[in-house]
Amino acid sequence: MQNITTLCLCFLLSCSLLSPAQQTTTQCNGSSSHYQQADQPAPSRSPKPPLMGLSTWNAYRAHINDSIIRAQADAMVAKGLVEAGYKYLNIDDGFFAGRDAAGRMLINSTKFPYGMKALADYLHSKGLKAGMYGDAGPNTCASIWENPPETGGRGAGFYNHEQQDMNLYFKEWGYDYLKVDYCGASQQALKLDEETHYTRIKNAIDATGVDDYVYNVCRWTFPGTWVTRLADSWRISPDINATYGRMVEILDMNTFLAPYMSPGHYNDMDMLEIGNGTTMTYEENKAQMSLWCVLSSPLVLGTDLNRITQQTLDIIKNHEVIAVNQDMTEQGRLISDFRHPLQVWSKKLNGKQSGERAVVLFNRTSAAATITLNFADIDLAPAVNIRDLWAHRDLGEFTGSYTATVPSHGVVMLRISGQNIPPSVYEAEYAYLHNYNHLVNCVVIPNQARAGYHAAASGKAAVSYIGGNKDNYLEFNDIYCKEEGIYPLTISYFCENTRTAILKVNEETVPTAPFHSGNASTVAIQSVYVHLKAGNNRIRIENPAGYAPDIDKISIGKKDGPLPGTPHLEAGNGQLPEGLR
């Protein structure tokens, strides 16, 4: 590596930590979570695209039986949903009858007279995958929260029966999917450790020898980065309901979680409420489908297929929109300013260096509005071709930008093809935060790195509370360069008091000067030369001994280019300019 020396330019602009009021706290009586984690999900089974299927809970809650499940399976086939990709039928809470003296899980024989294996066999005969439910604690959710309680779920949780139950579900009954709730764990005085107990269940599944399965962690919030290497998907929110307000609440909870998605591992925004009653309009239903697809959430229908309308079927079977969801390249990101009601979301398709994008223009206001997409904002050259995915129509060629009128609470969804331009700016809110949302006894650990609103930041968002221990770092992954060489790197930051940070580029430490912007209204910068390799690079900001500055973004200049704010200095052949060595 070259001998890299720091040149710092601190403009007296702004500094401020995001307020403690912006912290998200989840209260319950539950678990403690460790945070000695791997940086990326561990290689394991072949990655699957986001799950598509149907769950019984939203339509039936605990009032399920064998006849209902079989009828829903028949409807999935008859209505073309299996052909459209909806392959899983997931049986949720409501089939338990406690345990026998040997600890074997019992099934309600009145509701399910033929047993659960016969039901799985029936689903498989229809070309479906069969899904099951359980709880990490001693009791299931319906045994606690249903009115009246579903008493059969008492004692039916997996706690202290993990291997016994996984052998039953996967080897004896032959199921393909497992959702694991946390009601029983959080309601007990056991103080179960989330990571420990979800890992115990995962290990028990693997010990059965089955490898073609999907494991869903249902913890009602993003449970911490440990989950990204453990589960196929994980809930990031409380339960959804059939209202526009809850839909956008969940959308907001997933806004900055893209760094934690990878192929085969997805942020689960809960079930689709499309078709459930009349509380959501046609435009709002299209919006949910579009947003769930561009953010790579599992697509799980939560409606009674016996009452589904053709209009609902047209929405959930849109093959062009589904194709966006099933593309495993990345989770879509917010391109427009955070908290602005006219939103632009973009997802790369067919590889991170491709020139294809899915874009959703989302109007959160109460009246129709125009939304403009600038192609440079999604890292494309000026000339593109656009297709409307709801109109199923090619719109033609456009240069520079595209403007559409978007209905209230509605969307325009586009597929755009052009020339990819590797980005030069990387927003901190989309960096990987190693300790993000880790929990102790079901409460988010305070003062860990998080993204949030900042009025002075680029995109109106920044990351605060970086540092304080070795695991609480920020990391920009996939910093792409076509050529190896020396590049100017500029860090845009906020900090009212003088702070320090360790900058690592591909594990090599790059010296930096102290950070101090002096006030709380604007941003300051510090620029350094860094050595980047061809392909993807990793840039980390950390401070094990104290807090680092709040980070707005980083910018990568041209190879051998000058540092911002300095006279032009040549760095020929990858060598630093004279005087900077």
Side-chain angles (χ1 to χ4, degrees):
M1 180 174 175
Q2 304 291 335
N3 178 18
I4 298 175
T5 305
T6 304
L7 181 61
C8 167
L9 300 171
C10 297
F11 296 158
L12 288 181
L13 303 172
S14 154
C15 62
S16 92
L17 285 172
L18 300 181
S19 88
Q22 293 163 351
Q23 299 176 26
T24 301
T25 303
T26 305
Q27 299 286 348
C28 58
N29 285 325
S31 73
S32 82
S33 181
H34 307 298
Y35 45 88
Q36 289 78 26
Q37 315 304 333
D39 292 343
Q40 299 295 330
S44 56
R45 299 164 291 134
S46 297
K48 298 180 175 67
L51 178 143
M52 295 176 62
L54 177 141
S55 170
T56 59
W57 183 255
N58 280 8
Y60 296 101
R61 298 188 72 85
H63 307 295
I64 55 174
N65 59 45
D66 185 272
S67 297
I68 286 173
I69 305 301
R70 290 173 189 252
Q72 293 298 294
D74 294 344
M76 289 179 73
V77 176
K79 296 179 185 297
L81 291 167
V82 176
E83 184 180 5
Y86 295 90
K87 297 291 178 66
Y88 286 78
L89 201 167
N90 300 334
I91 303 165
D92 212 285
D93 204 347
F95 59 86
F96 303 100
R99 294 184 183 272
D100 66 16
R104 181 179 172 87
M105 186 181 293
L106 300 175
I107 303 305
N108 186 318
S109 60
T110 301
K111 290 183 174 184
F112 295 90
Y114 311 110
M116 305 311 287
K117 182 183 187 307
L119 189 52
D121 290 344
Y122 185 80
L123 298 182
H124 291 151
S125 76
K126 294 291 182 177
L128 290 162
K129 297 282 192 178
M132 283 294 268
Y133 167 91
D135 194 286
N139 305 315
T140 72
C141 287
S143 73
I144 299 168
W145 295 110
E146 284 294 272
N147 187 16
E150 184 75 11
T151 57
R154 293 175 184 168
F158 297 144
Y159 181 60
N160 285 337
H161 296 276
E162 290 86 356
Q163 194 62 62
Q164 181 183 32
D165 291 347
M166 296 309 101
N167 289 341
L168 181 67
Y169 276 27
F170 289 95
K171 293 182 70 174
E172 186 172 334
W173 289 346
Y175 280 78
D176 311 290
Y177 165 94
L178 179 62
K179 168 187 171 182
V180 182
D181 236 325
Y182 207 72
C183 294
S186 64
Q187 291 299 309
Q188 307 302 311
L190 299 170
K191 297 188 183 298
L192 300 185
D193 179 277
E194 281 109 326
E195 181 181 358
T196 296
H197 286 274
Y198 278 112
T199 300
R200 185 175 295 171
I201 294 165
K202 170 67 161 58
N203 290 342
I205 301 172
D206 289 338
T208 67
V210 173
D211 61 3
D212 185 14
Y213 66 86
V214 173
Y215 180 40
N216 175 260
V217 167
C218 185
R219 187 47 201 81
W220 331 304
T221 184
F222 181 81
T225 56
W226 59 267
V227 80
T228 65
R229 74 185 195 281
L230 182 76
D232 299 278
S233 60
W234 46 87
R235 280 275 301 280
I236 55 97
S237 72
D239 288 358
I240 197 169
N241 57 46
T243 64
Y244 172 78
R246 179 55 65 87
M247 180 190 83
V248 296
E249 285 175 3
I250 293 174
L251 173 68
D252 290 344
M253 292 176 190
N254 200 14
T255 297
F256 299 134
L257 297 185
Y260 312 107
M261 172 263 164
S262 64
H265 306 269
Y266 306 101
N267 294 296
D268 181 357
M269 299 168 74
D270 206 3
M271 285 168 271
L272 295 169
E273 288 284 8
I274 302 164
N276 285 345
T278 59
T279 53
M280 289 177 66
T281 68
Y282 171 66
E283 294 297 341
E284 290 168 351
N285 284 329
K286 282 172 55 185
Q288 187 188 16
M289 184 69 180
S290 302
L291 292 162
W292 264 232
C293 286
V294 83
L295 275 84
S296 302
S297 177
L299 299 180
V300 181
L301 306 174
T303 191
D304 180 355
L305 297 181
N306 296 318
R307 298 187 293 179
I308 200 167
T309 67
Q310 186 59 48
Q311 184 183 81
T312 295
L313 284 170
D314 289 343
I315 293 173
I316 62 178
K317 289 170 62 177
N318 185 325
H319 66 278
E320 294 190 79
V321 173
I322 289 171
V324 171
N325 175 265
Q326 296 292 283
D327 188 298
M328 295 190 284
T329 299
E330 67 173 8
Q331 176 175 313
R333 304 183 180 205
L334 182 65
I335 303 302
S336 51
D337 284 351
F338 184 49
R339 292 188 179 174
H340 197 287
L342 302 179
Q343 293 189 326
V344 178
W345 294 85
S346 177
K347 174 180 177 175
K348 294 180 180 178
L349 304 175
N350 294 320
K352 291 191 175 181
Q353 303 309 319
S354 84
E356 293 188 67
R357 307 284 189 271
V359 171
V360 173
L361 310 178
F362 179 35
N363 175 11
R364 297 172 62 148
T365 73
S366 58
T370 58
I371 300 178
T372 296
L373 164 68
N374 295 309
F375 305 141
D377 292 342
I378 57 172
D379 302 319
L380 291 178
V384 304
N385 288 282
I386 299 181
R387 180 172 175 81
D388 188 313
L389 300 189
W390 286 107
H392 301 292
R393 182 166 59 92
D394 291 328
L395 303 181
E397 297 181 2
F398 294 84
T399 302
S401 66
Y402 176 77
T403 299
T405 299
V406 185
S408 170
H409 294 184
V411 296
V412 168
M413 189 169 185
L414 309 169
R415 191 177 185 111
I416 300 178
S417 300
Q419 179 187 349
N420 181 62
I421 304 295
S424 60
V425 175
Y426 296 84
E427 297 288 349
E429 58 268 27
Y430 282 113
Y432 173 83
L433 309 179
H434 187 255
N435 276 16
Y436 176 69
N437 229 50
H438 286 306
L439 309 171
V440 169
N441 296 333
C442 291
V443 179
V444 175
I445 299 171
N447 300 334
Q448 301 294 295
R450 70 183 65 88
Y453 179 76
H454 197 302
S458 171
K460 306 299 182 186
V463 173
S464 62
Y465 292 104
I466 304 161
N469 63 70
K470 66 182 179 62
D471 297 305
N472 189 34
Y473 57 79
L474 171 152
E475 191 165 80
F476 296 91
N477 296 307
D478 298 331
I479 304 294
Y480 181 79
C481 290
K482 290 184 177 179
E483 297 181 85
E484 182 177 6
I486 303 299
Y487 291 81
L489 165 68
T490 298
I491 303 170
S492 300
Y493 70 92
F494 307 88
C495 67
E496 188 169 3
N497 301 309
T498 300
R499 295 183 179 184
T500 60
I502 297 171
L503 174 66
K504 291 184 177 179
V505 179
N506 298 325
E507 310 304 326
E508 296 288 337
T509 299
V510 178
T512 57
F515 295 82
H516 183 214
S517 57
N519 62 66
S521 60
T522 48
V523 67
I525 67 169
Q526 182 174 153
S527 297
V528 297
Y529 281 113
V530 297
H531 178 266
L532 301 178
K533 63 185 180 180
N536 291 325
N537 295 266
R538 181 177 296 183
I539 296 176
R540 181 183 294 189
I541 297 173
E542 62 185 6
N543 185 352
Y547 282 116
D550 296 358
I551 304 298
D552 175 10
K553 63 183 179 182
I554 63 170
S555 305
I556 308 293
K558 293 182 178 180
K559 180 175 177 287
D560 298 334
L563 294 175
T566 66
H568 182 73
L569 298 171
E570 296 294 338
N573 300 319
Q575 297 296 316
L576 293 179
E578 193 70 33
L580 293 178
R581 299 178 186 172

